[in-house]
């Protein structure tokens, strides 16, 4: 049953990725867009089990890739740069959220505890309390004093290990005992994937808006307002790549850095270099579609789509943040309840 639940969550993430896949085809492969109806008709003509298997295989494969990249994207601390003895960074990552929850409860002896004989958790609790004395206040900050990076990495690593030990001990119990935790875990996965898909969709819509404005013949200031946007993506990706290979081994793939760099290059091509002339085959298809000059993509309301994609991305990101916090709290509460039950049974004996 658990495997089916995971497959279902990954499939949802894959389905949520389909809108930006269609956007990619719409913006970068105009000839391929007119083949989509024929492909969908072919799928419909297949027997229902065959069509269901094909759709499931496509969405599950896509969802698996997106879920893995989204996990790294929202837990990557390579987005940082030092300015004026301070560090500007991406403050909210999965590990930092876990650390902040443990920091909020580290002084509560009745809450952060361990089961009798669980020496691994006991050691991590002691280490966390010692390391967090001076660093807990800045865990989720986006602007911090430079110089404490290594100590904070140790603190985040300790909280990550402690969370992993407690979470795995709980999830190894029967499904009925951990149903609430599994539901929250599924929500985290879906919301994280939705936020990542929203980011991709928002970026593509923003690039399309810039390309439309640049070719619309508007006033010069407006025409060039969105031209530098792809450069921002590339610069951010460059800083992240430098930090990634400075602090990590080459065996760790730079998923976030690749995503940002790829988006920047795609946006630069769309805004700066997108060809005006289409091939003869594409022109014939546009004529059939009552779009003889091939400007169909410029008629879309890209400003509206960009705003909508941003709102959905922002809402999903906030939902992931709050759910991740709540999930970490539930892991702590559930483990502590189990610890108190074990200790109470031991005392009774």
């Amino acid at each position: 049953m658990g495997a089916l639940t995971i497959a279902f969550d990954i499939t949802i993430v894959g389905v949520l990725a389909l809108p930006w896949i269609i956007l990619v085809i719409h913006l970068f492969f105009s000839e391929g867009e007119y083949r989509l109806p024929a492909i969908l008709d072919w799928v419909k003509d297949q027997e229902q089990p065959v069509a269901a298997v094909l759709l499931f295989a496509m969405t599950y494969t896509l969802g698996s890739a997106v879920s893995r990249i989204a996990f790294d994207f929202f837990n990557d601390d390579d987005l940082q740069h030092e300015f004026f003895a301070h560090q500007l960074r991406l403050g909210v990552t999965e590990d930092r959220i876990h650390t902040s929850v443990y920091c909020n409860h580290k002084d509560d002896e009745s809450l952060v505890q361990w089961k009798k004989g669980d020496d691994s958790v006991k050691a991590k609790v002691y280490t966390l309390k010692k390391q967090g004395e001076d660093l807990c206040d800045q865990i989720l900050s986006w602007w911090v004093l430079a110089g404490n990076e290594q100590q904070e990495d140790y603190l985040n690593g300790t909280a990550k290990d402690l969370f992993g030990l407690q979470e795995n001990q709980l999830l190894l119990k029967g499904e009925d005992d951990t149903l609430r935790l599994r539901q929250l875990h599924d929500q985290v996965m879906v919301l994280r994937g939705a936020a990542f898909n929203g980011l991709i969709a928002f970026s593509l819509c923003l690039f399309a808006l810039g390309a439309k404005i640049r070719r619309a013949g508007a006033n010069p200031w407006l025409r060039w307002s969105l031209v530098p946007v792809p450069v921002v993506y590339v610069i951010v990706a460059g800083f992240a790549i430098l930090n990634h290979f400075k602090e990590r081994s080459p065996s760790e793939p730079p998923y976030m850095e690749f995503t940002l760099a790829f988006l920047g290059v795609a946006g630069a091509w769309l805004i700066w270099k997108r060809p005006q002339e289409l091939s003869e085959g594409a022109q014939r298809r546009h004529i059939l579609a009552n779009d003889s000059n091939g400007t169909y993509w410029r008629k879309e309301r890209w400003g509206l789509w960009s705003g909508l994609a941003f709102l959905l991305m922002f809402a999903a990101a906030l939902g992931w943040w709050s759910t991740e916090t709540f999930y970490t709290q539930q892991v702590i509460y559930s483990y502590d309840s189990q610890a108190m039950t074990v200790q109470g049974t031991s005392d009774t004996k």
Side-chain angles (χ1 to χ4, degrees):
M1 186 65 182
L4 292 176
T5 302
I6 294 174
F8 182 70
D9 296 335
I10 291 177
T11 302
I12 291 177
V13 175
V15 170
L16 293 175
L18 292 178
W20 65 259
I21 294 292
I22 295 174
L23 273 175
V24 169
I25 297 174
H26 182 66
L27 294 172
F28 298 95
F29 304 98
S30 56
E31 295 189 34
E33 182 178 6
Y34 292 96
R35 297 190 179 96
L36 284 178
I39 295 174
L40 294 177
D41 290 338
W42 178 83
V43 173
K44 290 179 182 178
D45 293 338
Q46 306 304 309
E47 296 182 2
Q48 186 173 359
V50 177
V53 169
L54 289 174
L55 292 175
F56 175 78
M58 180 184 67
T59 54
Y60 183 81
T61 303
L62 183 60
S64 298
V66 171
S67 296
R68 181 63 190 88
I69 297 174
F71 172 78
D72 185 84
F73 200 99
F74 286 90
N75 196 34
D76 197 320
D77 59 356
D78 292 330
L79 281 180
Q80 53 181 300
H81 193 67
E82 191 170 326
F83 296 96
F84 308 110
H86 284 74
Q87 189 181 68
L88 179 65
R89 66 184 188 183
L90 182 63
V92 180
T93 64
E94 184 171 293
D95 285 347
R96 289 196 177 111
I97 291 174
H98 296 328
T99 305
S100 68
V101 175
Y102 279 105
C103 281
N104 290 338
H105 301 298
K106 68 180 178 66
D107 295 326
D108 191 342
E109 298 292 343
S110 63
L111 190 60
V112 181
Q113 53 181 300
W114 52 88
K115 293 184 294 184
K116 186 176 182 179
D118 196 347
D119 295 332
S120 57
V121 171
K122 180 179 179 180
K124 292 299 179 182
V125 170
Y126 277 125
T127 304
L128 177 75
K129 291 182 177 182
K130 182 178 180 180
Q131 293 176 337
E133 291 178 355
D134 301 321
L135 297 174
C136 275
D137 293 338
Q138 68 175 42
I139 287 299
L140 295 180
S141 299
W142 292 59
W143 179 254
V144 296
L145 284 172
N148 295 324
E149 296 84 1
Q150 190 172 13
Q151 292 86 345
E152 189 173 324
D153 288 341
Y154 289 150
L155 175 60
N156 289 327
T158 301
K160 179 180 179 180
D161 293 339
L162 177 57
F163 176 78
L165 289 169
Q166 294 181 329
E167 181 189 39
N168 279 281
Q169 287 191 32
L170 293 169
L171 294 180
L172 286 174
K173 295 173 66 67
E175 186 172 346
D176 292 339
D177 296 332
T178 58
L179 180 60
R180 182 176 179 82
L181 284 179
R182 293 179 186 276
Q183 289 175 343
L184 287 173
H185 184 273
D186 298 340
Q187 290 179 26
V188 168
M189 181 182 293
V190 171
L191 288 170
R192 185 173 57 211
F196 179 80
N197 287 324
L199 172 66
I200 302 295
F202 166 69
S203 300
L204 292 173
C205 290
L206 188 65
F207 296 149
L209 176 63
K212 175 183 177 180
I213 291 176
R214 185 165 180 259
R215 292 167 174 82
N219 65 75
W221 184 90
L222 185 61
R223 287 182 60 189
W224 292 95
S225 59
L226 295 178
V227 169
V229 172
V231 178
V232 175
Y233 280 75
V234 175
I235 291 175
V236 171
F239 280 122
I241 289 173
L242 291 176
N243 292 327
H244 179 90
F245 288 108
K246 183 172 65 175
E247 300 177 2
R248 305 176 190 272
S249 64
S251 62
E252 298 184 52
Y255 292 111
M256 181 191 67
E257 294 80 356
F258 171 79
T259 302
L260 293 175
F262 189 80
L263 283 174
V265 172
W269 184 88
L270 187 65
I271 295 178
W272 304 343
K273 292 290 186 180
R274 193 182 198 283
Q276 297 291 314
E277 299 297 331
L278 300 171
S279 65
E280 293 183 3
Q283 288 179 6
R284 285 196 296 271
R285 294 185 181 91
H286 285 302
I287 290 173
L288 292 175
N290 298 319
D291 184 26
S292 58
N293 58 3
T295 59
Y296 67 100
W297 63 277
R298 287 194 244 164
K299 298 177 182 179
E300 303 287 350
R301 302 175 67 179
W302 293 115
L304 178 62
W305 290 119
S306 299
L308 178 61
F310 177 81
L311 288 176
L312 294 176
M313 174 194 70
F314 191 68
L318 289 180
W320 163 75
W321 185 354
S322 62
T323 306
E324 191 79 69
T325 300
F326 186 56
Y327 176 61
T328 308
Q329 292 172 342
Q330 291 304 305
V331 167
I332 295 175
Y333 298 152
S334 299
Y335 180 87
D336 288 346
S337 299
Q338 187 184 82
M340 287 186 290
T341 301
V342 171
Q343 290 174 1
T345 303
S346 177
D347 293 340
T348 302
K349 292 180 179 180

